[in-house]
């Protein structure tokens, strides 16, 4: 079980986008994340008439390492760490380390 999953709200703790919040769109190469609106780079794209895409300079989200990201705790309004706990039915669930509250999927 991974600590961060698709759809989690995260906050950037290091890098050029420090302090920004976003949602995990997908996980790449097990320790890199694509986050909505974070780590945007300019990409020069050629027009492709077969796909109908116009050329120009577009903004593209690039991967960011998982060590530069922390899950956002809405209750405390702060970044938090993720822990694991077994339920009474022996299911492994994610919890916030600071409060012990369950992280809703």
């Amino acid at each position: 079980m991974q600590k961060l999953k698709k759809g989690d709200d995260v906050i950037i703790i290091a890098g050029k986008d420090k302090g920004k919040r976003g949602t995990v769109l997908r996980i790449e190469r097990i320790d890199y994340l694509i986050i909505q609106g974070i780590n945007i780079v300019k990409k020069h794209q050629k027009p492709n008439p077969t796909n109908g895409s116009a050329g120009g300079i577009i903004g593209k989200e690039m991967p960011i390492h998982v060590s530069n990201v922390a899950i956002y705790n809405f209750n405390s309004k702060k970044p938090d760490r993720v822990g694991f706990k077994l339920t009474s039915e022996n299911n492994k669930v994610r919890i916030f380390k600071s409060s012990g509250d369950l992280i809703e999927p």
Side-chain angles (χ1 to χ4, degrees):
M1 180 177 250
Q2 291 184 334
K3 293 189 176 192
L4 294 174
K5 293 182 176 182
K6 179 181 175 179
D8 282 346
D9 290 310
V10 295
I11 188 165
I12 309 302
I13 58 174
K16 68 176 184 177
D17 293 324
K18 182 177 179 177
K20 291 184 182 177
R21 284 189 3 219
T23 304
V24 177
L25 296 177
R26 68 178 187 268
I27 299 171
E28 292 197 355
R29 298 180 306 207
I30 212 157
D31 56 350
Y32 282 88
L33 308 171
I34 302 288
I35 302 171
Q36 183 178 13
I38 304 294
N39 203 18
I40 303 282
V41 296
K42 302 282 186 186
K43 182 177 187 315
H44 294 73
Q45 186 168 346
K46 283 186 176 179
N48 190 346
T50 58
N51 291 344
S53 62
I57 301 171
I58 61 167
K60 182 179 179 184
E61 293 142 345
M62 295 299 286
I64 187 167
H65 197 265
V66 74
S67 67
N68 297 325
V69 172
I71 195 159
Y72 185 72
N73 190 342
F74 284 101
N75 295 334
S76 65
K77 307 280 192 270
K78 292 181 181 178
D80 210 338
R81 292 180 296 151
V82 177
F84 295 102
K85 184 179 179 181
L86 287 175
T87 61
S88 58
E89 299 89 28
N90 286 336
N91 293 331
K92 193 175 182 183
V93 293
R94 298 182 304 155
I95 61 166
F96 290 114
K97 282 280 201 168
S98 64
S99 61
D101 295 337
L102 188 68
I103 298 174
E104 297 299 324

